[in-house]
Amino acid sequence: MNLSSTLHRFTVVPSLPKELAGLQRIACNLWWSWEPEAIGLFKRLDPELWRQTRHNPLEVLGSLQQATYESLMADEGFMSHLSQVEERLSEYLSSRTWYERHGNAGARIAYFSMEFGLHESLPIYSGGLGILAGDHLKSASDLGLPLVGVGLLYRQGYFRQYLNLEGWQQEIYPENDFYNLPLHQEKDREGKPLVFYLEYPGRNVLVQVWRVQVGRVALYLLDTNLEANSPADREITTRLYGGDQEMRIRQEILLGIGGIRALRLMGIEPNVCHMNEGHAAFLALERIRTLMEERQLTFREAMEAVRGGNVFTTHTPVEAGIDHFPPDLLDHYMGHYYRGLGLSREQFMALGMQNHGRSNESFCMAVLAMKLSLHSNGVSELHGAVSRRMWADVWPDLPEEQLPLTYVTNGVHQKSWLSEEMTGLLIRFLGTRWLEQSADQLWRKVSRIPDAELWRTHRRGTEQLVDYARRSLRAQLEKLDASPKEIDEAGDVLDPEILTIGFARRFATYKRGTLLLHDKERLSKILNHPERPVQIVFAGKAHPADHQGKELIRQIVQLSQQPEFRRRIIFLEDYDISVARRLVQGVDIWLNTPLRPFEASGTSGMKVAFNGGLNLSILDGWWCEGYRGNNGWAIGRGEVYDDLSYQNQVESRAIYDLLEKEIVPLFYNRGSDGIPRGWTTFMKSSMQTLCPVFSTDRMVQEYARRCYLPAFEHWERLNRDDLRLAVELARWKERLHGMWGELAIVAVDAEIQKEVTVGEMLPISVQITPGRIPLSEIAVEVYFGVLDSRGAIMGGEIVPLKPAADPEKAGHFKGELECRFCGRHGFMLRVMPRHPELGTVYDPGLILWG
């Protein structure tokens, strides 16, 4: 018998007296998660229940008894606290924002991501990408951007981790109880749940929409776990990064195509869409399809209109980390779709291939996103350079440094990661403006903080970390039925007074989680030094299918069980936002050991800096920009060796040398008052140089200024007057492609001497034959710079040439090159299209070098 057909469902919600109704309002807006006063309010309800529910205020409210509510209402202190937090939330939501002063009211931005790490009580994230997306939404709220988020609501999310007695990672997938999470089902005008159908091969899948309120920003999450769907289709939103390629493409169709349809169903028409990684790239196709249908445009015409309003961020420095789909799988899932766009199979596949025509090339979601976006960026300066090398074939006619792929360095949402104690200390000496704006002059005031106060504030974070680590280890051992002696000894692990190193991240092999263990004998001497001991706290998860990553975790756990390391090394299981918060607030040193250049950015070390911790890192990702020599330590100088074993040996030895000769002595060199003044000088320098730069407030402002607002303005120009300019641009490009082969460079003349003096101007003149292309639609430029040892131009600049004033010299252009540097120089001529309204336009195939 099918019991589900006779099951009657209803939802039970907390029954709060009207005097306490504000608790529900606050709990339903994740603003509380970065507001210390609000966190303190919920913790006050029942500290133990708060811990057991993974800091979930809605679950706490639903578990309290009526008698508790009555005692709360009788508590004047609590009621005053509640009133204060309610008032603060109202003030936050109504206050004037940065965007109101600096933005454009017409922009409507949608930010798409496969995962969002907002808080540990909403486990729909796995790691750095999700945490970054969550912090992005929080800062967008703080700054007042007109932005919504779009993602998927996973029934099981990412896995929970536990370790067996041998240290092997085990995975469990608990169900998320949506009705005890800060989620709201979106409703239609009749008050029914908002649902829509999304086409998959051979059937329609029903999708429902949930909303999470993140301050001023709404995050919409799509869910297919509905009885109307088949069991296989209900699985689409079961797990984050679970299943095979077929499950992944189903999820990405839901995120990209379904996400756009959900927004439109709610009356939200974004004019700028930001793709956080290539997972959401199908959204660009759906925007094109919608425009084609509504305005009767061709694919190329609609593409020009849409492309101007798309932004793409890549987070991966290796192509293996990007989603690729085999053409046959694309045919199965997208065949009906691309035929509806008027595209042939070849035309569609070319959109997702770097070098169309190369045998066996798969369809790459990042390439699709780049080809259909006006702005593309990496997430650090180094990653931007790596990405340009990685994707050079997407723009085969341009030199690497001229590729339209820039960078916006990541940041962190400072209010989410700062300890309450450090926040209070900074407010006392810096005021409160640093909470609302990242400015160097505000953070320079850190120098005013007395060394003793800064030191003791940070030590409180270490004390709390050690206490948490001991409790966690004890709980781990109790679950494994360890002996009473082993459980009791958990209380002796770590020491809040000694130098504490933290290493916590995804256990992928390139992150080299065991590099510090390379020479165990030398490590033992460092950790167990009689006067200057050191301890290490590890945490992190390996992907369920990554057996090499699991082996690294096992090695650490087994080492921590050996007598000489038992009190000095600990591995905390089930790494999540809550564990991360404890670590970044309590460690003295944050260790980061990726293989350069495989760390696109990294953000955990930024969180440490806000709490007074120092970084010890390979010069990779963000640390290339952050390291100043007096604000932390660099492992090596950015060398990359062909022999990985040798590189591990060299860099592990460098870590030991830094610890023995610089870091440990600096930490233990104390004054008569017990304060390590050399160490606090480093702490202050770290906070002054890193905190104003590596925040998501700065990052989101940069996205707004460099990407969102230019994208909106470009989109607006293309879409006004019934899309006149977009249609004209597509037809103009098509016309130029038909005539470009007629264009020829006839002569290049430059008055070059064997030697040219620095500062001298070098005249240059060019004669071209334009064929049928009007000269007004041609830009003639010189690509000019210093040559490297192979004779290639390094970091060249573009110098535009002007048409000759004499009308009889048609096709003649001239200009001057300024020789600002000594050395061997070279130049090349570049001819590109120039649109009468948009200026110089780059389109693959429309460029001539000579």
Side-chain angles (χ1 to χ4, degrees):
M1 179 180 176
N2 183 5
L3 294 179
S4 63
S5 63
T6 60
L7 184 63
H8 301 277
R9 294 172 174 82
F10 56 93
T11 303
V12 178
V13 297
S15 174
L16 293 173
K18 64 177 183 180
E19 294 86 351
L20 298 175
L23 288 170
Q24 183 90 4
R25 176 182 174 235
I26 298 164
C28 288
N29 189 322
L30 278 171
W31 164 86
W32 67 260
S33 69
W34 69 88
E35 176 51 54
E37 283 295 321
I39 295 169
L41 178 72
F42 291 124
K43 188 176 181 180
R44 191 170 175 173
L45 292 170
D46 187 326
E48 182 55 27
L49 190 56
W50 178 247
R51 186 185 66 78
Q52 290 174 3
T53 60
R54 298 179 82 192
H55 314 136
N56 183 342
L58 282 171
E59 197 171 343
V60 170
L61 290 175
S63 303
L64 295 178
Q65 301 298 317
Q66 194 65 35
T68 306
Y69 291 141
E70 290 171 5
S71 66
L72 291 173
M73 287 188 290
D75 184 337
E76 289 186 21
F78 179 84
M79 295 305 291
S80 174
H81 191 176
L82 171 58
S83 176
Q84 180 184 353
V85 174
E86 271 199 282
E87 189 176 326
R88 189 167 292 188
L89 174 57
S90 297
E91 186 179 295
Y92 174 85
L93 295 174
S94 61
S95 61
R96 186 169 166 78
T97 65
W98 173 87
Y99 189 84
E100 286 178 284
R101 296 190 296 272
H102 301 283
N104 188 315
R108 297 181 300 278
I109 307 154
Y111 180 89
F112 287 69
S113 182
M114 199 74 155
E115 51 174 305
F116 286 90
L118 292 158
H119 189 258
E120 59 267 24
S121 64
L122 188 60
I124 55 170
Y125 63 93
S126 71
L129 180 75
I131 305 295
L132 186 280
D135 281 8
H136 193 114
L137 294 195
K138 292 173 185 178
S139 276
S141 170
D142 290 341
L143 297 167
L145 267 69
L147 180 145
V148 298
V150 181
L152 304 184
L153 182 58
Y154 303 99
R155 196 171 82 243
Q156 295 178 349
Y158 206 54
F159 68 91
R160 300 286 301 274
Q161 177 200 57
Y162 71 95
L163 305 174
N164 67 17
L165 281 169
E166 284 73 42
W168 279 107
Q169 172 182 292
Q170 309 291 305
E171 298 93 25
I172 53 174
Y173 291 88
E175 297 270 332
N176 284 327
D177 179 2
F178 295 170
Y179 297 94
N180 271 315
L181 293 175
L183 301 168
H184 304 270
Q185 270 188 309
E186 281 297 295
K187 303 292 176 65
D188 61 20
R189 290 173 183 167
E190 297 175 2
K192 297 176 182 177
L194 188 71
V195 295
F196 64 96
Y197 281 102
L198 186 62
E199 303 87 358
Y200 283 87
R203 80 275 190 199
N204 288 328
V205 175
L206 194 63
V207 182
Q208 64 180 340
V209 184
W210 301 76
R211 176 169 53 88
V212 179
Q213 197 62 38
V214 187
R216 300 178 176 92
V217 167
L219 167 61
Y220 297 102
L221 300 172
L222 309 183
D223 170 29
T224 64
N225 183 30
L226 292 158
E227 286 186 7
N229 292 329
S230 69
D233 290 331
R234 294 182 71 170
E235 292 291 311
I236 293 173
T237 53
T238 294
R239 293 181 183 175
L240 171 62
Y241 305 138
D244 55 12
Q245 277 193 312
E246 190 163 2
M247 178 57 75
R248 182 63 67 88
I249 198 171
R250 290 179 190 172
Q251 290 183 332
E252 296 187 2
I253 288 169
L254 176 61
L255 176 62
I257 298 174
I260 290 292
R261 292 188 187 176
L263 292 179
R264 288 174 60 81
L265 195 61
M266 293 181 289
I268 300 169
E269 299 270 0
N271 41 43
V272 176
C273 288
H274 186 170
M275 294 168 263
N276 190 41
E277 257 311 346
H279 307 126
F282 289 139
L283 74 81
L285 297 175
E286 178 63 10
R287 295 185 76 192
I288 291 168
R289 186 200 65 78
T290 302
L291 208 53
M292 289 174 65
E293 185 179 279
E294 292 179 349
R295 303 293 185 91
Q296 283 72 55
L297 303 176
T298 67
F299 178 83
R300 294 292 168 189
E301 292 165 351
M303 185 184 76
E304 292 297 346
V306 166
R307 183 176 172 273
N310 286 339
V311 176
F312 168 61
T313 298
T314 175
H315 292 259
T316 308
V318 288
E319 221 176 320
I322 300 285
D323 281 337
H324 289 74
F325 296 119
D328 288 349
L329 191 63
L330 262 293
D331 275 336
H332 179 65
Y333 276 94
M334 296 294 291
H336 69 291
Y337 193 91
Y338 68 67
R339 285 189 290 271
L341 295 173
L343 297 178
S344 67
R345 182 181 193 271
E346 184 180 12
Q347 288 171 325
F348 176 70
M349 294 301 170
L351 290 172
M353 293 182 177
Q354 285 204 66
N355 187 353
H356 185 53
R358 186 164 54 193
S359 61
N360 299 322
E361 184 173 357
S362 56
F363 187 96
C364 178
M365 295 297 285
V367 172
L368 176 65
M370 279 183 275
K371 287 185 176 181
L372 297 180
S373 295
L374 181 67
H375 298 272
S376 296
N377 66 276
V379 289
S380 69
E381 185 175 11
L382 176 61
H383 182 231
V386 169
S387 297
R388 285 190 290 276
R389 286 197 295 274
M390 182 174 161
W391 303 115
D393 283 352
V394 177
W395 300 278
D397 297 328
L398 290 179
E400 190 177 290
E401 63 269 19
Q402 294 291 317
L403 298 182
L405 207 168
T406 59
Y407 74 94
V408 176
T409 302
N410 282 345
V412 299
H413 185 251
Q414 58 194 29
K415 299 171 198 171
S416 293
W417 299 102
L418 267 167
S419 72
E420 192 172 348
E421 293 84 355
M422 188 63 74
T423 301
L425 180 70
L426 292 172
I427 288 173
R428 280 174 52 211
F429 288 93
L430 276 65
T432 57
R433 279 199 301 138
W434 63 274
L435 289 164
E436 299 170 0
Q437 55 180 284
S438 299
D440 288 353
Q441 66 269 23
L442 295 176
W443 284 95
R444 288 195 201 108
K445 296 179 183 178
V446 165
S447 61
R448 301 177 183 177
I449 301 174
D451 290 349
E453 289 203 51
L454 181 60
W455 174 250
R456 287 173 187 140
T457 299
H458 181 70
R459 291 324 306 158
R460 280 195 287 276
T462 308
E463 290 165 8
Q464 290 164 7
L465 170 61
V466 169
D467 179 62
Y468 173 78
R470 289 171 176 173
R471 286 189 283 107
S472 296
L473 180 59
R474 185 181 184 92
Q476 286 175 222
L477 293 170
E478 286 173 346
K479 282 187 291 185
L480 294 171
D481 292 326
S483 69
K485 182 175 180 293
E486 289 175 308
I487 294 171
D488 286 343
E489 286 175 346
D492 297 328
V493 168
L494 306 183
D495 182 336
E497 298 300 322
I498 71 178
L499 177 62
T500 305
I501 298 173
F503 183 100
R505 55 198 22 89
R506 181 166 55 90
F507 266 77
T509 50
Y510 80 86
K511 293 179 182 281
R512 296 190 293 177
T514 56
L515 186 64
L516 189 58
L517 317 182
H518 200 267
D519 183 340
K520 296 181 181 62
E521 186 177 340
R522 191 172 178 187
L523 178 63
S524 178
K525 289 178 181 176
I526 293 171
L527 299 192
N528 294 298
H529 191 284
E531 285 112 32
R532 302 182 307 194
V534 178
Q535 60 196 8
I536 313 167
V537 182
F538 287 96
K541 296 177 178 179
H543 187 279
D546 183 1
H547 297 291
Q548 287 180 297
K550 290 181 179 182
E551 170 60 20
L552 297 179
I553 293 174
R554 187 193 67 82
Q555 290 176 21
I556 294 168
V557 174
Q558 294 208 336
L559 187 73
S560 73
Q561 294 169 350
Q562 295 178 13
E564 66 268 38
F565 295 110
R566 188 188 62 77
R567 296 184 63 229
R568 295 288 182 253
I569 296 178
I570 185 173
F571 191 99
L572 297 176
E573 68 180 13
D574 203 23
Y575 185 48
D576 68 355
I577 289 176
S578 178
V579 176
R581 197 183 299 115
R582 302 272 189 175
L583 280 162
V584 300
Q585 292 174 3
V587 299
D588 300 301
I589 291 287
W590 192 256
L591 179 65
N592 188 35
T593 54
L595 270 173
R596 179 183 163 112
F598 297 131
E599 185 80 277
S601 175
T603 56
S604 51
M606 303 173 189
K607 298 160 190 161
V608 169
F610 278 96
N611 288 286
L614 301 175
N615 280 271
L616 169 60
S617 177
I618 298 290
L619 282 169
D620 197 12
W622 79 283
W623 193 231
C624 298
E625 298 164 59
Y627 176 60
R628 295 287 182 274
N630 65 345
N631 63 351
W633 292 270
I635 303 165
R637 297 179 180 177
E639 303 91 345
V640 177
Y641 301 95
D642 293 331
D643 185 336
L644 177 57
S645 177
Y646 179 68
Q647 179 146 359
N648 289 342
Q649 183 181 343
V650 168
E651 291 177 343
S652 62
R653 199 161 53 225
I655 296 172
Y656 300 139
D657 286 344
L658 284 168
L659 287 170
E660 291 169 339
K661 298 173 184 177
E662 295 185 39
I663 297 172
V664 174
L666 189 69
F667 183 86
Y668 285 103
N669 184 12
R670 310 290 172 91
S672 57
D673 56 0
I675 307 300
R677 303 204 179 274
W679 189 271
T680 54
T681 298
F682 260 66
M683 290 172 70
K684 290 179 179 180
S685 180
S686 171
M687 297 176 83
Q688 288 172 318
T689 56
L690 303 180
C691 294
V693 178
F694 297 100
S695 75
T696 42
D697 282 1
R698 184 274 311 158
M699 181 192 82
V700 172
Q701 286 175 2
E702 200 170 334
Y703 272 116
R705 290 190 180 110
R706 290 177 46 197
C707 302
Y708 298 158
L709 292 174
F712 166 66
E713 289 159 9
H714 193 79
W715 175 91
E716 192 177 40
R717 289 184 69 190
L718 290 170
N719 281 266
R720 67 168 63 117
D721 299 331
D722 202 28
L723 292 114
R724 176 193 61 81
L725 189 54
V727 171
E728 180 192 305
L729 179 61
R731 294 174 182 173
W732 177 76
K733 284 185 179 180
E734 190 175 353
R735 179 171 58 85
L736 282 186
H737 274 287
M739 300 186 295
W740 198 252
E742 302 171 15
L743 185 68
I745 298 170
V746 177
V748 180
D749 295 315
E751 298 176 14
I752 302 176
Q753 308 296 324
K754 285 190 176 179
E755 293 183 350
V756 178
T757 308
V758 171
E760 194 172 335
M761 304 300 290
L762 187 69
I764 184 169
S765 64
V766 173
Q767 181 70 41
I768 68 167
T769 299
R772 288 176 293 159
I773 305 173
L775 285 173
S776 61
E777 296 180 10
I778 293 173
V780 181
E781 303 166 334
V782 173
Y783 179 58
F784 167 65
V786 179
L787 301 180
D788 64 14
S789 59
R790 297 167 299 173
I793 295 173
M794 299 186 301
E797 61 177 303
I798 297 295
V799 179
L801 302 183
K802 296 181 179 179
D806 187 346
E808 293 185 6
K809 292 186 176 181
H812 185 74
F813 292 77
K814 61 182 181 179
E816 291 183 316
L817 308 180
E818 183 180 359
C819 303
R820 296 195 298 272
F821 307 100
C822 291
R824 190 75 173 157
H825 284 64
F827 70 85
M828 297 174 68
L829 192 68
R830 183 170 89 176
V831 184
M832 296 178 68
R834 186 205 308 276
H835 188 272
E837 290 188 56
L838 297 172
T840 303
V841 172
Y842 173 72
D843 199 60
L846 295 181
I847 186 167
L848 178 66
W849 291 93

